[in-house]
C-alpha cells in the first residue's frame, strides 16, 4: 500500500475521498467506485465507498469544529488519533465487537475502517420497533473486558500509566464536563428545550440537593482515572443486527470512572423504554438487566482468572467494586437522561415522538426519572429496582 500524496489537512469531499481510497490502493485499479457522505453526527465527516462488487470501506475524518454548532466552536483534530488508538487497543480485547481499522493518518485526521453497512445503528432500529437479542450480552462483555483490562485490576500499574498518557483528551472531556454535568443544571446558553418544559427545568436548576449530587458525579468524572473509557457509549454509537454488534465512535476515549460507560448505556436504554407503550417496553428494558448481568459475570470471571492485583483475592473486595460501579452508573445515567432531554444534543427517541403534546409529557417524565436516578443512586440494589422506578414514573400524571 502506498502513502497518500496529501500531506496537509483539508476536509474531504466525496471526490477527494475516492481519490484517497485509490491512492491507498484499497480497491483494484480501474474499479468503479461509489461514494456517499453518510455522517449524521455532530463532529465528523463519514464517507462510505464501495466498488461494483459491493466491497466497501468507511473513511471517517474529524472536522476542526463541531458540526452541530459550526466553525465558532473549534475542536482538536487529535481526537481522530485518539479514536484510532482506542479501536486498535480494543481490537486486542474484543475483536468481534469493534470495527477493523485498516489505516490511520494523524495529519489528515482520518481513520479508515471496516464497512459496517450490513448492520444498522441501534438507535434507529429501536425507534422503528426492532430488537437485537444479543446486543446487551455483547455490550456487557465489551464493557467488562475493555474496562477490566485497562484498569489496575487487569493491567500492570506501570503499563496503565503509559497507556493513560496516550489517551489524554482534554478538549473532548471538556465537552462532556460541560454538556453532561454542568450546562443542563444551570441556565446556560447551550441548553435546548421546548417552552412547555420551562417550569420543570427551572425547578431542576433551583434544586440545590440535586446539584450537590451532580457535583459529586462530575468530580468523579474529573478525577477517577479507573480505566480507559469509550466516553460516549450510546445507542447511536453501536451498530448491530440479530447476531453481530460493533461499537464505534470512541473519539471521547479517556481514563475515567468505570461506571460512566455503563451508565451511558443504561441511560440510552431507559430513554428508549420511556417512549414505548407498555406491551412493547419489556423487550427493551430486558437489555438493562442483561447488560448488567453480562458485565458482572464477565468482570467477575476476569477478576478471578486474570487479575494482576494481589488484593483481588481479598474476600469482599469484588463485591465492593461492583457495588461502587453500579451506584455510580445509575447516577451517571441520570445525568445523561437529563442532558439528552434539555441539553444541546438530543436523541431521536424523544424528539420524534408524535403528537407534540405526548412528546412534552414524555420529556417531563424523562426529567423526573433522571432526577430520581441521581437522588437515589446509592439505594438501588439491582436493575429490577430501576425498572420499577421507571414504571412508577411512567404511570404518574403530568
Amino acid at each position: 500500500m502506498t502513502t497518500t500524496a496529501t500531506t496537509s489537512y483539508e476536509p474531504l469531499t466525496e471526490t477527494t475521498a475516492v481519490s484517497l481510497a485509490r491512492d491507498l490502493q484499497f480497491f483494484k485499479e480501474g474499479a468503479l467506485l461509489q461514494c456517499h457522505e453518510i455522517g449524521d453526527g455532530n463532529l465528523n465527516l463519514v464517507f462510505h465507498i464501495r466498488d461494483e462488487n459491493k466491497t466497501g470501506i468507511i473513511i471517517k475524518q474529524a472536522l476542526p469544529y463541531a458540526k452541530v454548532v459550526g466553525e465558532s466552536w473549534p475542536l482538536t483534530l487529535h481526537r481522530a488519533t485518539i479514536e484510532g488508538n482506542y479501536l486498535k487497543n480494543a481490537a486486542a480485547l474484543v475483536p468481534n465487537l469493534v470495527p477493523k481499522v485498516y489505516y490511520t493518518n494523524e495529519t489528515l485526521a482520518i481513520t479508515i475502517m471496516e464497512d459496517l453497512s450490513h448492520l444498522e445503528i441501534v438507535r434507529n432500529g429501536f425507534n422503528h420497533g426492532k430488537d437485537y437479542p444479543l446486543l446487551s450480552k455483547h455490550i456487557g462483555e465489551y464493557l467488562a473486558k475493555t474496562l477490566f483490562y485497562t484498569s489496575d485490576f487487569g493491567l500492570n500499574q506501570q503499563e496503565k500509566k503509559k497507556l493513560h498518557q496516550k489517551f489524554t483528551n482534554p478538549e473532548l472531556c471538556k465537552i462532556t464536563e460541560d454538556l453532561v454535568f454542568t450546562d443542563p443544571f444551570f441556565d446556560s446558553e447551550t441548553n435546548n428545550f421546548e417552552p412547555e418544559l420551562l417550569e420543570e427545568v427551572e425547578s431542576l436548576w433551583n434544586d440545590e440537593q440535586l446539584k450537590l449530587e451532580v457535583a459529586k458525579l462530575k468530580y468523579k468524572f474529573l478525577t477517577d482515572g479507573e480505566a480507559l473509557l469509550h466516553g460516549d457509549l450510546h445507542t447511536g454509537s453501536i451498530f448491530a443486527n440479530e447476531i453481530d454488534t460493533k461499537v464505534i465512535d470512541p473519539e471521547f476515549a479517556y481514563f475515567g470512572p468505570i461506571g460512566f460507560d455503563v451508565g451511558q448505556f443504561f441511560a440510552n436504554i431507559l430513554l428508549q423504554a420511556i417512549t414505548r407503550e407498555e406491551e412493547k417496553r419489556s423487550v427493551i428494558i430486558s437489555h438493562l438487566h442483561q447488560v448488567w448481568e453480562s458485565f458482572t459475570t464477565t468482570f467477575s470471571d476476569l477478576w478471578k482468572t486474570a487479575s494482576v492485583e494481589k488484593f483481588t483475592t481479598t474476600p469482599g473486595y469484588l463485591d465492593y467494586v461492583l457495588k461502587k460501579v453500579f451506584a455510580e452508573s445509575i447516577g451517571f445515567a441520570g445525568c445523561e437522561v437529563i442532558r439528552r432531554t434539555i441539553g444541546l444534543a438530543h436523541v431521536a427517541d424523544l424528539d420524534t415522538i408524535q403528537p407534540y403534546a405526548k412528546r412534552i409529557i414524555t420529556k417531563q417524565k424523562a426529567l423526573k426519572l433522571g432526577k430520581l436516578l441521581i437522588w437515589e443512586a446509592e439505594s438501588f440494589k439491582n436493575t429490577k429496582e430501576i425498572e420499577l422506578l421507571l414504571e412508577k414514573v411512567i404511570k404518574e400524571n403530568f
Side-chain angles (χ1 to χ4, degrees):
M1 184 178 294
T2 61
T3 302
T4 174
T6 305
T7 57
S8 60
Y9 176 87
E10 60 182 39
L12 293 171
T13 65
E14 291 183 355
T15 299
T16 58
V18 168
S19 296
L20 178 63
R22 291 190 187 279
D23 187 34
L24 293 171
Q25 299 180 9
F26 276 103
F27 299 94
K28 294 179 180 179
E29 186 174 353
L32 298 176
L33 302 183
Q34 291 184 330
C35 178
H36 300 285
E37 204 284 306
I38 59 173
D40 60 356
N42 297 322
L43 305 175
N44 308 290
L45 297 171
V46 182
F47 298 91
H48 181 206
I49 304 176
R50 293 197 299 179
D51 63 16
E52 60 268 34
N53 298 317
K54 307 302 181 185
T55 300
I57 59 170
I58 296 294
I59 300 179
K60 181 175 179 179
Q61 182 182 43
L63 287 169
Y65 56 85
K67 283 171 65 179
V68 69
V69 175
E71 295 185 17
S72 63
W73 187 345
L75 285 176
T76 175
L77 294 175
H78 181 64
R79 67 185 192 273
T81 300
I82 293 280
E83 176 169 10
N85 287 339
Y86 178 95
L87 289 173
K88 291 172 185 176
N89 191 76
L93 305 175
V94 284
N96 295 327
L97 299 176
V98 291
K100 295 180 179 67
V101 173
Y102 301 136
Y103 175 84
T104 60
N105 185 304
E106 187 166 4
T107 300
L108 302 179
I110 63 168
T111 303
I112 301 181
M113 66 190 86
E114 177 184 2
D115 180 7
L116 301 179
S117 59
H118 63 292
L119 308 176
E120 61 185 335
I121 296 173
V122 169
R123 188 186 308 284
N124 294 345
F126 277 168
N127 287 340
H128 288 91
K130 294 186 179 181
D131 183 34
Y132 305 95
L134 297 180
L135 171 70
S136 47
K137 179 180 181 295
H138 288 162
I139 295 300
E141 177 188 352
Y142 167 88
L143 287 166
K145 289 182 177 179
T146 58
L147 296 170
F148 179 86
Y149 279 118
T150 59
S151 75
D152 290 303
F153 306 123
L155 183 64
N156 173 276
Q157 286 84 352
Q158 297 305 307
E159 293 302 315
K160 181 192 170 191
K161 290 177 175 63
K162 292 177 183 178
L163 189 64
H164 198 160
Q165 292 177 330
K166 290 177 61 176
F167 288 95
T168 301
N169 199 358
E171 291 87 354
L172 276 293
C173 284
K174 183 66 163 62
I175 293 176
T176 304
E177 292 155 18
D178 290 345
L179 298 188
V180 176
F181 293 109
T182 306
D183 293 354
F185 302 95
F186 295 88
D187 187 2
S188 170
E189 290 183 358
T190 65
N191 290 328
N192 176 24
F193 56 87
E194 295 83 351
E196 293 85 353
L197 297 177
L198 181 60
E199 182 177 348
E200 284 82 6
V201 173
E202 288 182 336
S203 174
L204 184 151
W205 290 341
N206 293 323
D207 190 331
E208 297 302 327
Q209 186 59 44
L210 178 72
K211 289 162 76 171
L212 173 61
E213 296 306 312
V214 174
K216 295 175 185 177
L217 290 162
K218 181 180 178 181
Y219 186 69
K220 293 179 189 295
F221 181 84
L222 291 169
T223 61
D224 284 5
E226 293 179 326
L228 179 58
L229 307 185
H230 177 283
D232 195 27
L233 188 63
H234 54 78
T235 52
S237 295
I238 305 170
F239 275 87
N241 62 14
E242 294 292 308
I243 58 174
D244 290 322
T245 304
K246 302 283 186 180
V247 176
I248 63 168
D249 291 350
E251 60 199 316
F252 281 78
Y254 91 111
F255 272 79
I258 289 173
F260 185 75
D261 271 359
V262 181
Q264 292 266 299
F265 189 75
F266 277 4
N268 281 268
I269 292 300
L270 292 169
L271 283 166
Q272 174 61 211
I274 204 170
T275 70
R276 292 210 171 189
E277 300 300 327
E278 184 174 1
E279 65 273 12
K280 297 181 180 180
R281 193 178 305 131
S282 62
V283 69
I284 293 298
I285 206 67
S286 67
H287 287 295
L288 186 73
H289 307 312
Q290 290 169 10
V291 74
W292 182 246
E293 179 182 359
S294 176
F295 171 80
T296 56
T297 298
T298 307
F299 194 91
S300 298
D301 288 344
L302 294 172
W303 181 280
K304 296 167 186 174
T305 61
S307 175
V308 299
E309 168 56 61
K310 285 187 178 296
F311 278 103
T312 52
T313 61
T314 302
Y317 193 18
L318 174 59
D319 289 342
Y320 163 80
V321 169
L322 291 177
K323 183 178 179 181
K324 175 181 180 291
V325 170
F326 188 59
E328 292 179 5
S329 299
I330 294 169
F332 289 134
C335 294
E336 174 74 356
V337 167
I338 289 173
R339 80 96 166 197
R340 290 295 192 178
T341 307
I342 63 171
L344 177 65
H346 289 191
V347 289
D349 311 54
L350 296 177
D351 279 2
T352 58
I353 295 173
Q354 295 293 341
Y356 182 78
K358 183 179 179 182
R359 184 188 315 167
I360 297 301
I361 291 172
T362 306
K363 289 192 173 189
Q364 289 172 329
K365 292 179 179 181
L367 291 175
K368 179 67 175 292
L369 175 64
K371 290 194 291 185
L372 290 171
L373 290 171
I374 294 169
W375 276 332
E376 302 175 11
E378 297 284 345
S379 69
F380 291 94
K381 297 181 179 64
N382 50 59
T383 54
K384 183 63 179 179
E385 292 184 354
I386 303 175
E387 180 183 5
L388 293 174
L389 175 64
L390 174 68
E391 295 297 335
K392 179 181 176 183
V393 170
I394 287 174
K395 291 176 182 177
E396 287 185 11
N397 293 322
F398 282 77

